[in-house]
Amino acid sequence: SDVETFVHLLKGSLGSGILAMPMAFLNAGLWFGLVATFLVGAVCTYCVHILVKCAHILCRRRKIPMMGFADVAEQAFLDGPTSLQRWSRFIRFIVNCFLVIDLIGCCCIYLVFVGTNVKQVVDFYTQESELSIRLWIVIVTCPLLFMCLIRNLKFLAPFSMVANLLMFVGIIITFTYIFTDLPSTEGRVGVADVTQWPLFFGTVIFALEGIGVVMSLENDMKNPAHFIGCPSVLNLGMGVVVSLYTLVGFFGYLKYGAETKGSITLNLPVEDKLAQSVKLMIAIAIFFTFTLQFYVPISIIWKGIQHKIAPEKQNMTEYGIRILLVLLCGAIAVALPNLGPFISLIGAVCLSTLGMIVPSIIELAVYYEDPGYGRGKWRLWKNAFLIAFGFIGFFTGTYVSILEFHDEFNGSH
């Protein structure tokens, strides 16, 4: 139903990203962050509109009942100019690759996230024997090796319920901390240095981008027409999400200023019992979300290689791939245990591509012959702008994040 879709859309977009928003504002400044978050939110929502609209057109043309993101890209290329048609399999592969990299990147961020929050609480009680963050990530990864062997989504549903509940309660309590004794806005930077903006954009795009979830939600709706349009489920959902993110970002940075950490939960006073419970609640919520997030990349990879494996070896192979992927996530998280640059790197690389560049190219291909690019070729110019914006985000975000990692490695050795 429309309401269920609305709830799922909120859930798909309200992940750990919301907890990183104050750090995004730290890199943007209080007032620039306020305006820019709404702008990026509008662009992300608009690109989802483009994608869903093109999917509707292609489904009608090809008489296909429903399509995933990669299907839409492939069909769009087959419908586009002749020069694009031979690239149709390639674009399908690219979309799937970026979806997998994006979701696995998110899984790695989740591991760092859980590890950092648990470490803070445990360190408070065991001052003498502090374990390093890298060791905590290893400890967190071990139980996930077993949880990620669950292949049926039905068995993961109760974990999802628990995760949503804990996340919700955790965020409400975090709000009470943020809103107590707020300082005045004078002490905060209004517009940050331009060199920090890419980190802001990377983080915001990471936080807002639920494009991987969108197509599957729209496919499952009773009235898919209600998803886009006016007032649509998508517009209402994204409106709520963007407003919430802006609230958390604005007031989180206002409260903690230059001290703002990669996740707002890390700023809560560690000696408070209530704050400790928030850190642990959100850590458990993100821990459970890992298994759900992990489900999508594994199904994409498995679909791609299943037909090449002998039927009697399929079970063992799938379990093997699942274990390898969890170990890979653990290894990446251990290598890069700093949340800030990691989040903006994933945002810049995957989500500029999937959220802006690919939908724009899809629209250009779908509208190529019929109904054309409109008066003065406005669709062509608009999509060229979106693609350019996506590429700028991609390169600057990646460059700045890598510089941050480089500084950190040189500093830590």
Side-chain angles (χ1 to χ4, degrees):
S1 71
D2 292 0
V3 176
E4 286 167 344
T5 310
F6 178 73
V7 171
H8 277 297
L9 186 69
L10 285 187
K11 205 183 88 198
S13 304
L14 286 180
S16 56
I18 192 166
L19 304 167
M21 282 306 292
M23 188 194 60
F25 272 69
L26 171 71
N27 287 314
L30 208 51
W31 304 114
F32 177 66
L34 192 62
V35 178
T37 305
F38 277 106
L39 279 176
V40 175
V43 171
C44 286
T45 310
Y46 178 69
C47 288
V48 175
H49 268 274
I50 296 179
L51 186 66
V52 176
K53 223 191 219 140
C54 290
H56 287 178
I57 295 173
L58 290 168
C59 286
R60 277 200 298 276
R61 271 188 207 165
R62 297 270 169 159
K63 311 262 186 299
I64 301 171
M66 54 199 245
M67 292 181 175
F69 194 169
D71 305 325
V72 175
E74 185 177 23
Q75 284 299 337
F77 270 43
L78 288 171
D79 267 27
T82 334
S83 53
L84 280 185
Q85 288 168 8
R86 63 166 180 274
W87 296 100
S88 62
R89 303 287 307 179
F90 179 70
I91 189 74
R92 181 191 187 87
F93 173 73
I94 287 291
V95 168
N96 277 331
C97 270
F98 275 108
L99 276 172
V100 169
I101 294 169
D102 164 34
L103 293 160
I104 285 185
C106 290
C107 287
C108 301
I109 290 168
Y110 288 177
L111 286 176
V112 177
F113 205 94
V114 177
T116 344
N117 278 290
V118 174
K119 174 179 159 57
Q120 251 201 355
V121 177
V122 175
D123 282 358
F124 177 71
Y125 288 105
T126 57
Q127 254 91 19
E128 300 81 50
S129 57
E130 287 186 5
L131 299 174
S132 75
I133 177 60
R134 290 188 162 95
L135 201 58
W136 271 114
I137 293 171
V138 173
I139 293 169
V140 171
T141 311
C142 292
L144 281 172
L145 281 170
F146 298 102
M147 282 188 66
C148 287
L149 295 178
I150 301 172
R151 291 194 293 192
N152 193 334
L153 262 185
K154 198 172 70 204
F155 299 125
L156 294 175
F159 291 121
S160 171
M161 285 293 299
V162 174
N164 291 340
L165 218 111
L166 290 173
M167 193 78 182
F168 183 70
V169 175
I171 287 174
I172 298 289
I173 300 173
T174 306
F175 265 133
T176 60
Y177 275 102
I178 291 175
F179 286 121
T180 350
D181 308 327
L182 269 176
S184 80
T185 53
E186 269 110 56
R188 301 288 174 253
V189 180
V191 179
D193 194 77
V194 180
T195 52
Q196 290 174 279
W197 289 4
L199 285 173
F200 162 77
F201 282 113
T203 310
V204 172
I205 292 175
F206 170 81
L208 282 176
E209 201 50 87
I211 201 149
V213 207
V214 169
M215 293 308 297
S216 50
L217 278 182
E218 194 256 350
N219 285 335
D220 291 343
M221 279 183 80
K222 283 183 194 143
N223 304 319
H226 294 181
F227 192 69
I228 55 173
C230 189
S232 64
V233 175
L234 176 65
N235 288 349
L236 282 172
M238 288 306 277
V240 172
V241 169
V242 173
S243 310
L244 259 174
Y245 276 38
T246 313
L247 263 176
V248 176
F250 185 88
F251 289 107
Y253 172 57
L254 180 62
K255 168 90 178 176
Y256 296 110
E259 300 298 303
T260 307
K261 302 236 171 57
S263 155
I264 190 68
T265 51
L266 298 173
N267 278 102
L268 303 182
V270 75
E271 61 282 350
D272 269 27
K273 291 278 187 285
L274 186 63
Q276 289 171 8
S277 72
V278 171
K279 290 171 205 272
L280 294 176
M281 268 193 287
I282 289 183
I284 295 166
I286 303 270
F287 180 84
F288 284 152
T289 314
F290 182 99
T291 49
L292 284 165
Q293 192 81 345
F294 186 80
Y295 187 83
V296 184
I298 202 80
S299 56
I300 294 174
I301 293 171
W302 187 238
K303 244 189 222 149
I305 61 167
Q306 190 176 6
H307 59 279
K308 296 178 183 162
I309 294 153
E312 65 277 4
K313 290 187 180 162
Q314 284 192 354
N315 267 347
M316 284 310 293
T317 313
E318 190 184 344
Y319 284 131
I321 291 171
R322 283 169 174 269
I323 289 171
L324 275 176
L325 263 188
V326 178
L327 289 173
L328 176 71
C329 292
I332 296 171
V334 167
L336 309 170
N338 186 354
L339 267 175
F342 202 171
I343 288 178
S344 67
L345 180 67
I346 293 295
V349 174
C350 299
L351 302 166
S352 310
T353 315
L354 293 177
M356 287 173 201
I357 300 171
V358 175
S360 308
I361 295 173
I362 287 175
E363 191 184 40
L364 287 176
V366 170
Y367 281 76
Y368 173 65
E369 273 175 3
D370 165 48
Y373 293 152
R375 181 177 297 172
K377 294 212 184 327
W378 69 271
R379 278 201 183 89
L380 181 66
W381 296 113
K382 173 206 68 172
N383 285 318
F385 168 75
L386 283 173
I387 292 167
F389 186 67
F391 271 115
I392 292 168
F394 181 102
F395 289 115
T396 52
T398 308
Y399 178 70
V400 174
S401 306
I402 289 171
L403 280 186
E404 293 257 316
F405 281 130
H406 181 255
D407 294 348
E408 187 195 331
F409 274 117
N410 286 354
S412 65
H413 289 324

